[in-house]
Amino acid sequence: ALPDTTPLPDPATAHLVALLRSNPTVVDVVDATDAPPLVSRCATGEDTGVPVAADRVIGGGGFSLIAGPCAVEGGEQLMGLARDLAARGAGLLRGGVYKPRTSPYAFQGLGSDGLTMLRAASAATGLPVVTEVLDAAHVAAVAEQADMLQVGSRNGQNFALLKEVALTGLPVLLKRGFGCTVDEWLHSAEYVLAAGNSGVVLCERGIRTFESATRFTLDISAVPLVKRLSHLPVIVDPSHACGRRDLIIPLAAAAAAAGADGVMVDVHPCGPAALCDGAQALSPAEFGSLVTRVGQVLGRDPQRHD
Amino acid sequence: ALPDTTPLPDPATAHLVALLRSNPTVVDVVDATDAPPLVSRCATGEDTGVPVAADRVIGGGGFSLIAGPCAVEGGEQLMGLARDLAARGAGLLRGGVYKPRTSPYAFQGLGSDGLTMLRAASAATGLPVVTEVLDAAHVAAVAEQADMLQVGSRNGQNFALLKEVALTGLPVLLKRGFGCTVDEWLHSAEYVLAAGNSGVVLCERGIRTFESATRFTLDISAVPLVKRLSHLPVIVDPSHACGRRDLIIPLAAAAAAAGADGVMVDVHPCGPAALCDGAQALSPAEFGSLVTRVGQVLGRDPQRHD
Amino acid sequence: ALPDTTPLPDPATAHLVALLRSNPTVVDVVDATDAPPLVSRCATGEDTGVPVAADRVIGGGGFSLIAGPCAVEGGEQLMGLARDLAARGAGLLRGGVYKPRTSPYAFQGLGSDGLTMLRAASAATGLPVVTEVLDAAHVAAVAEQADMLQVGSRNGQNFALLKEVALTGLPVLLKRGFGCTVDEWLHSAEYVLAAGNSGVVLCERGIRTFESATRFTLDISAVPLVKRLSHLPVIVDPSHACGRRDLIIPLAAAAAAAGADGVMVDVHPCGPAALCDGAQALSPAEFGSLVTRVGQVLGRDPQRHD
Amino acid sequence: ALPDTTPLPDPATAHLVALLRSNPTVVDVVDATDAPPLVSRCATGEDTGVPVAADRVIGGGGFSLIAGPCAVEGGEQLMGLARDLAARGAGLLRGGVYKPRTSPYAFQGLGSDGLTMLRAASAATGLPVVTEVLDAAHVAAVAEQADMLQVGSRNGQNFALLKEVALTGLPVLLKRGFGCTVDEWLHSAEYVLAAGNSGVVLCERGIRTFESATRFTLDISAVPLVKRLSHLPVIVDPSHACGRRDLIIPLAAAAAAAGADGVMVDVHPCGPAALCDGAQALSPAEFGSLVTRVGQVLGRDPQRHD
């Protein structure tokens, strides 16, 4: 495991850096340890596939469809939705039970009750479950019920959480911090790999920019860029990126065309009534259209598991 | 034509706005004339195709491939390149002869000599020519030689130039200002339409964000968003958006998947030697790969003109 | 204490929201619980002063000078620096012992050894200590040694950490997330107040923008804006905002002029040799110049404690 | 004068650049001509003062107060306001007669009628006039009536306009493009100096960022940064930066503290009724408070001309 603290670096190195920095012709001193070696494409030379269940691998050639409600709201609703999504081609079930909400008074998720509902829906459909964990104190309990742990955008540089999640050994879905560069995102992944867990899937979900017509700005260039820099799989979350139901299908198609290994989308049986992010949830029928559209772009069926 | 100045608005309206604004319960007074009526999708109810030459329409169902050097450097080089591009499926020839350069000491373009070279390359290949105009004083001369006038990103809100270009009656390729919102970009198009010229093609070319691994951030969401808001065609320039040769083909594929009406790319027979933006120029062979890849995503040949 | 999860909202409300959202004339449904009531200026009607020690209050009329090394590197060095800073007018000692580093291989801080050094320097100088906590698992141990807990920019929306820190009852220095809006920052402060801890000091430290000449962009407007929206004190960290030693004094002066309640700056006895962020550390003598300059702008001595 | 076009660079140089670029160990080839030599601090070694009238110099030690309506609306109103501003300490009169409006249907300014009103107000008060020019076709007429020409943010890289304005020989107020870096802004100034006009005053007016509580984000760091990089004076426009009346005085104070050579603010006798940007206009009495507050920060009266 990674230590929380480190001894002082070797003084000779520090002295050399100081000398270089005090030379007025030196613009910058770049530390070679700044490149994330385990995450780098050079580390393996080929694309890594991250297995989530016996027959579910993200990356490594397939195209993964992860779908479900932004927040789990009830067992029956979730069960019905999960069956519908599985029938339409989803490969994994997403659903939040601990929600990072801007306001402390907003709906925070159903917690362990929600985990039980996710487990039941997974048992009935065979869809592995990915769910977000916000708090190191919840990691063990969530890891017992989930097949994959998500670290959300607001925790994209919460290094304590990254280390804790890494130690479960479960695959990790690592969203890009909406204020983070691609370089910082890859370094966050390095925290997980350095802790001995190589099962990281990167998820581009939009960055903060001046454009306000969409909630965030999907950085589609990050997809081929990550593919060049790293061997890890990269997927796209168009729902949180744009925050508008009407743009999600074209953005999912763009992600597939740009080389992403999958997409993750919010689906809700009744979007406008959703307790969280209702404006961006597809209906199950719209999810079906997304699967069809992505298939057209890929020139083949996306990874289906029926 | 649009006037340069306008009389004062009717005092009754101004008074009403003042009254509303001084009411503390009023958050904002939005002027309905702020919506660009001619550019709006409601104006036509269907997609507009912009004819550039007898058999070259941008939008209206086809997918346009616009290619050429960032800057025209010489007649022979351009002629060879244009023939190569035409053979590989390009539909229009781009090439800069007046270049907006950050530094006054950088290469500014060949000017009218470059226009002559473009005209000759067009005559030999049948490719219509699109070239940028920076200065109202050049508009008449450029309009005589070009088939389509480009207004560049730095002039995205140069309303004097927009009006002057509109009056030529030629089709206009309007790049998004890299600091402008989609709403501002559509309003800039409205300046052209309001001056009586309906031949506007919008071009997304990346916006300024904190991410520095790419030169700008391609706002792929702008493609489906513009399609919903406006009847005008929208194309994508991945070369200027990312500034890196190795990302251009996946981004062109993403643009096609997201619903763009075409792409515009920099191609140079010898990228590293290019006088302008060499790091982002495809080789002619790479352009051929782009045409193939875009065709896969579209499920059909992009608009070819052979 | 705040719960980690919440029951489902009342169905009648959810139904109403759904009804409103499905009405095509409704642009948005804004939840009134979205305004942070405890943080709001209306909550108290006057400026809150946050006591850190018997004679050290941040806000409430004084101007606080918080200074120290970005990272604690050794006991003797820290002791010498703390004495120097106290003599030059510093009111609180800052120093990192748990450092959030982009790379897992960069120097992570001295941990509990560093806390002991901070405590000793505080005992010798009377300067209260503020230090960052990254991990809920460290909160209890840090709270025993520190007078004030800092939640850093990367944890600006780490709600689990905010709740844990709040429960210590110690005053909290809450840095703005570099990708967060002022509204989100105030809501993060609301998490602390809602947990029963009203001792929050807000710290503006720069946001991510396209400008690359400075490390971040100091959002100086946030100072008067927060003063209008909230009763909490707000200070400025110019060191992390600009990342350049040569801009820190003018930016500290600007902060004082804009109405900030204090500044926090990195000081190192030998900037170029610093193990962390050396390019932005003032020398002790430069810190003395900062104190003088801030005094000129304020028209009085900043809060001194000798 | 600067040429519109340039011959091809010397082939040996181009060949060398190509060779370097094709070497895989070369990260980038930076052209030394990319530094703006005439604008650089090294060019003079001291601060330049730009004379606008016999007794009005911007920079060179004084602090200039430029005030007036965003748009000129009528002769009597302007005359009354100008007298009021002069009495309260304004040094120059601003007023727009050609307005760059996002929408072609918004009020575009009074044009030459407005110029006559500005001239009359100047004659009555002794305040020199600064006004924006949008169109090269208007430059000669505006130059006859104005004492200083403003190039606005939307034209911050309109190089054709910059060259035309430079040739009048009048001093130029060059606003930073809201999407432009400090480096690009200085290069735009270099266009004016390279054309033989050394009378450039730089004006920081906010950049585009994700923060939406203010209209733009005032980049206060740009003030000391420009002072280090260039000998030209730099002023701040807090009105357009924040777009909110209630933040303007603290931001003007911050500008003075950060080392700016002046401020430019919108003042309107009746803000809520203003035809353009009414939400950000100070009342004349508030302008008086601004003068007092800036004087406190400077520790002396700002440049007054009575």
Side-chain angles (χ1 to χ4, degrees):
Chain A
L2 285 172
D4 286 339
T5 59
T6 56
L8 287 170
D10 141 47
T13 308
H15 182 66
L16 179 61
V17 169
L19 259 180
L20 286 167
R21 272 193 191 145
S22 55
N23 182 328
T25 67
V26 169
V27 174
D28 203 0
V29 181
V30 180
D31 186 348
T33 61
D34 261 9
L38 303 176
V39 158
S40 162
R41 175 151 285 276
C42 315
T44 67
E46 55 184 20
D47 288 341
T48 292
V50 172
V52 179
D55 60 342
R56 300 293 141 101
V57 176
I58 302 182
F63 189 88
S64 297
L65 294 161
I66 309 176
C70 187
V72 172
E73 296 176 18
E76 277 185 57
Q77 190 194 67
L78 182 69
M79 183 65 79
L81 179 62
R83 290 189 201 276
D84 198 347
L85 293 172
R88 293 180 193 272
L92 292 96
L93 179 64
R94 63 147 292 157
V97 300
Y98 294 104
K99 301 298 302 172
R101 300 303 296 272
T102 300
S103 165
Y105 313 117
F107 175 53
Q108 306 278 318
L110 295 179
S112 58
D113 288 353
L115 286 174
T116 310
M117 297 171 195
L118 281 169
R119 200 67 262 150
S122 176
T125 59
L127 297 178
V129 162
V130 53
T131 194
E132 180 169 358
V133 59
L134 299 178
D135 189 338
H138 301 151
V139 168
V142 177
E144 273 181 36
Q145 308 266 22
D147 300 289
M148 183 177 208
L149 301 180
Q150 175 181 318
V151 174
S153 186
R154 283 160 188 77
N155 288 308
Q157 291 194 305
N158 178 345
F159 304 122
L161 183 64
L162 285 168
K163 291 180 205 172
E164 199 74 23
V165 163
L167 296 178
T168 65
L170 286 182
V172 178
L173 182 65
L174 177 58
K175 290 206 163 186
R176 176 179 183 181
F178 52 67
C180 291
T181 62
V182 167
D183 181 67
E184 290 171 331
W185 183 26
L186 296 180
H187 275 94
S188 289
E190 186 81 9
Y191 268 90
V192 181
L193 272 70
N197 184 337
S198 59
V200 174
V201 174
L202 299 162
C203 179
E204 160 63 31
R205 48 78 71 213
I207 58 173
R208 280 267 158 92
T209 75
F210 65 80
E211 176 58 69
S212 58
T214 46
R215 201 168 157 194
F216 295 89
T217 295
L218 181 65
D219 183 6
I220 192 74
S221 309
V223 172
L225 182 61
V226 164
K227 284 292 186 190
R228 267 146 195 75
L229 296 175
S230 173
H231 58 92
L232 296 174
V234 58
I235 68 169
V236 167
D237 175 349
S239 305
H240 286 82
C242 69
R244 295 171 55 130
R245 186 182 301 107
D246 60 348
L247 305 184
I248 292 171
I249 295 178
L251 292 180
D261 297 293
V263 292
M264 176 155 83
V265 291
D266 285 9
V267 186
H268 194 278
C270 174
L275 293 178
C276 178
D277 292 342
Q280 74 195 32
L282 295 179
S283 69
E286 288 167 328
F287 174 71
S289 303
L290 180 151
V291 177
T292 304
R293 179 76 187 103
V294 165
Q296 289 168 347
V297 167
L298 294 172
R300 59 180 166 80
D301 257 18
Q303 188 180 13
R304 294 189 62 136
H305 310 270
D306 15 35
Chain B
L2 286 172
D4 287 339
T5 59
T6 56
L8 287 169
D10 140 50
T13 308
H15 181 66
L16 179 61
V17 169
L19 259 181
L20 286 168
R21 273 192 191 148
S22 56
N23 182 330
T25 67
V26 169
V27 174
D28 203 2
V29 181
V30 180
D31 186 347
T33 61
D34 262 9
L38 302 176
V39 157
S40 163
R41 175 150 285 273
C42 314
T44 66
E46 56 185 19
D47 288 341
T48 291
V50 171
V52 179
D55 61 342
R56 300 292 142 101
V57 175
I58 302 181
F63 189 87
S64 298
L65 294 161
I66 310 176
C70 188
V72 172
E73 297 176 18
E76 276 184 58
Q77 188 192 66
L78 181 69
M79 183 65 79
L81 179 62
R83 289 190 202 275
D84 198 346
L85 293 172
R88 294 179 193 273
L92 291 97
L93 179 65
R94 61 147 294 157
V97 300
Y98 294 104
K99 301 297 302 172
R101 300 303 296 272
T102 300
S103 165
Y105 312 118
F107 175 54
Q108 306 279 318
L110 295 179
S112 59
D113 288 354
L115 285 174
T116 310
M117 296 171 195
L118 280 169
R119 200 68 262 151
S122 176
T125 60
L127 298 178
V129 161
V130 53
T131 195
E132 181 169 357
V133 59
L134 298 178
D135 189 338
H138 301 152
V139 167
V142 177
E144 272 180 37
Q145 308 266 22
D147 300 288
M148 185 177 206
L149 301 180
Q150 176 181 318
V151 175
S153 187
R154 283 160 189 77
N155 289 308
Q157 290 193 306
N158 179 345
F159 304 122
L161 183 64
L162 285 168
K163 291 180 205 170
E164 198 73 23
V165 162
L167 295 178
T168 64
L170 286 182
V172 179
L173 183 65
L174 177 58
K175 290 207 163 187
R176 179 179 181 181
F178 53 67
C180 291
T181 62
V182 167
D183 182 68
E184 290 171 332
W185 183 26
L186 296 180
H187 276 93
S188 289
E190 186 80 10
Y191 269 90
V192 181
L193 273 70
N197 183 337
S198 60
V200 174
V201 174
L202 298 162
C203 180
E204 160 63 32
R205 49 78 70 213
I207 58 173
R208 280 266 159 93
T209 74
F210 65 80
E211 177 58 68
S212 58
T214 45
R215 199 168 160 196
F216 294 88
T217 296
L218 180 65
D219 183 6
I220 192 73
S221 310
V223 172
L225 183 60
V226 163
K227 284 293 187 188
R228 267 147 196 76
L229 297 175
S230 174
H231 58 92
L232 295 174
V234 58
I235 68 169
V236 168
D237 175 349
S239 306
H240 286 81
C242 69
R244 295 169 54 128
R245 187 182 301 107
D246 61 348
L247 304 185
I248 292 171
I249 295 178
L251 292 180
D261 297 293
V263 291
M264 176 154 85
V265 290
D266 285 10
V267 185
H268 194 278
C270 175
L275 293 177
C276 178
D277 291 343
Q280 74 195 32
L282 295 179
S283 69
E286 288 166 327
F287 175 71
S289 303
L290 180 149
V291 177
T292 304
R293 178 76 188 103
V294 164
Q296 289 167 345
V297 166
L298 294 171
R300 59 180 166 80
D301 258 18
Q303 189 181 13
R304 294 189 61 136
H305 310 270
D306 14 34
Chain C
L2 286 173
D4 287 338
T5 59
T6 56
L8 286 169
D10 140 51
T13 307
H15 181 67
L16 179 62
V17 170
L19 259 180
L20 286 167
R21 274 194 190 145
S22 56
N23 182 328
T25 69
V26 169
V27 174
D28 203 1
V29 181
V30 179
D31 187 347
T33 62
D34 262 9
L38 302 176
V39 157
S40 162
R41 176 150 284 274
C42 313
T44 67
E46 55 184 22
D47 288 340
T48 291
V50 172
V52 179
D55 61 342
R56 301 293 143 98
V57 175
I58 302 180
F63 189 87
S64 299
L65 294 161
I66 309 176
C70 188
V72 172
E73 297 176 18
E76 277 184 58
Q77 188 192 68
L78 182 68
M79 183 66 78
L81 179 62
R83 288 189 203 275
D84 199 347
L85 293 172
R88 293 180 194 272
L92 292 96
L93 179 65
R94 62 146 294 156
V97 299
Y98 295 104
K99 302 296 304 171
R101 300 303 297 272
T102 302
S103 164
Y105 312 117
F107 175 54
Q108 306 278 317
L110 295 179
S112 58
D113 288 352
L115 285 174
T116 309
M117 296 171 195
L118 280 170
R119 199 66 263 151
S122 177
T125 59
L127 297 178
V129 162
V130 53
T131 195
E132 180 168 359
V133 59
L134 298 178
D135 187 337
H138 301 153
V139 167
V142 177
E144 273 180 36
Q145 309 266 23
D147 300 291
M148 185 179 206
L149 301 180
Q150 176 181 320
V151 174
S153 188
R154 283 161 188 77
N155 288 309
Q157 291 194 305
N158 179 345
F159 304 122
L161 183 64
L162 285 168
K163 290 180 205 171
E164 199 73 23
V165 162
L167 295 178
T168 65
L170 286 183
V172 179
L173 183 65
L174 178 57
K175 290 206 163 184
R176 178 179 182 181
F178 54 66
C180 290
T181 62
V182 167
D183 182 68
E184 289 170 332
W185 184 25
L186 296 180
H187 276 93
S188 289
E190 186 81 8
Y191 269 90
V192 181
L193 272 72
N197 184 337
S198 59
V200 174
V201 174
L202 299 163
C203 180
E204 161 62 31
R205 47 79 70 214
I207 57 173
R208 280 267 157 91
T209 75
F210 65 79
E211 176 57 69
S212 58
T214 45
R215 200 166 160 198
F216 294 88
T217 296
L218 180 65
D219 183 6
I220 192 73
S221 310
V223 173
L225 183 60
V226 163
K227 284 292 185 189
R228 268 149 194 73
L229 297 175
S230 173
H231 58 91
L232 296 174
V234 59
I235 67 169
V236 167
D237 175 349
S239 306
H240 286 81
C242 69
R244 295 170 55 130
R245 187 183 301 107
D246 61 347
L247 304 185
I248 292 171
I249 295 178
L251 292 180
D261 297 293
V263 291
M264 177 155 85
V265 290
D266 285 10
V267 185
H268 193 279
C270 174
L275 294 177
C276 178
D277 292 343
Q280 74 195 32
L282 295 179
S283 70
E286 288 166 328
F287 175 70
S289 304
L290 181 150
V291 177
T292 304
R293 178 78 188 103
V294 165
Q296 289 168 346
V297 167
L298 293 172
R300 61 179 164 80
D301 257 18
Q303 188 179 15
R304 294 188 62 135
H305 310 270
D306 14 35
Chain D
L2 287 172
D4 287 338
T5 59
T6 55
L8 286 170
D10 138 49
T13 307
H15 182 65
L16 179 61
V17 170
L19 259 181
L20 286 167
R21 274 193 190 145
S22 55
N23 182 329
T25 68
V26 169
V27 174
D28 204 0
V29 181
V30 179
D31 186 345
T33 60
D34 261 8
L38 302 176
V39 157
S40 163
R41 176 150 285 274
C42 316
T44 66
E46 55 183 21
D47 288 340
T48 292
V50 172
V52 179
D55 61 342
R56 300 295 141 99
V57 175
I58 302 181
F63 190 88
S64 299
L65 294 161
I66 309 176
C70 188
V72 172
E73 298 176 17
E76 276 184 58
Q77 189 193 67
L78 182 68
M79 183 65 79
L81 179 61
R83 289 190 202 275
D84 199 347
L85 293 172
R88 293 178 194 273
L92 292 97
L93 179 64
R94 62 147 293 157
V97 300
Y98 294 103
K99 302 297 304 171
R101 301 303 297 272
T102 302
S103 165
Y105 312 118
F107 174 54
Q108 306 278 318
L110 295 179
S112 58
D113 288 352
L115 286 175
T116 309
M117 296 170 196
L118 280 170
R119 200 66 263 150
S122 176
T125 59
L127 298 178
V129 162
V130 53
T131 195
E132 180 169 358
V133 60
L134 298 178
D135 188 339
H138 301 152
V139 168
V142 177
E144 273 180 38
Q145 309 265 20
D147 301 288
M148 184 179 208
L149 301 180
Q150 176 181 320
V151 175
S153 187
R154 283 160 189 78
N155 288 309
Q157 290 193 305
N158 179 344
F159 304 121
L161 183 63
L162 284 168
K163 291 181 206 170
E164 198 73 24
V165 162
L167 295 178
T168 64
L170 285 183
V172 178
L173 183 65
L174 177 57
K175 289 207 163 187
R176 177 179 183 181
F178 54 67
C180 290
T181 62
V182 167
D183 182 67
E184 289 170 332
W185 184 24
L186 296 181
H187 275 94
S188 289
E190 185 81 8
Y191 268 91
V192 181
L193 272 70
N197 183 337
S198 59
V200 174
V201 174
L202 299 163
C203 180
E204 160 63 31
R205 49 78 69 213
I207 57 173
R208 280 267 158 92
T209 74
F210 65 79
E211 176 58 68
S212 58
T214 45
R215 200 167 160 195
F216 294 88
T217 296
L218 180 65
D219 183 6
I220 191 74
S221 311
V223 173
L225 183 60
V226 164
K227 284 290 183 191
R228 268 147 195 73
L229 296 175
S230 173
H231 58 91
L232 295 174
V234 58
I235 67 169
V236 167
D237 175 349
S239 306
H240 286 81
C242 69
R244 293 169 55 130
R245 188 183 301 108
D246 61 348
L247 304 185
I248 292 171
I249 294 178
L251 293 179
D261 297 292
V263 291
M264 176 156 83
V265 291
D266 285 10
V267 185
H268 193 279
C270 174
L275 293 177
C276 178
D277 292 342
Q280 75 195 30
L282 295 179
S283 70
E286 288 167 327
F287 175 70
S289 304
L290 180 150
V291 177
T292 304
R293 178 77 189 103
V294 164
Q296 289 168 347
V297 167
L298 293 172
R300 60 178 164 81
D301 257 18
Q303 188 180 15
R304 293 190 62 138
H305 311 269
D306 13 34

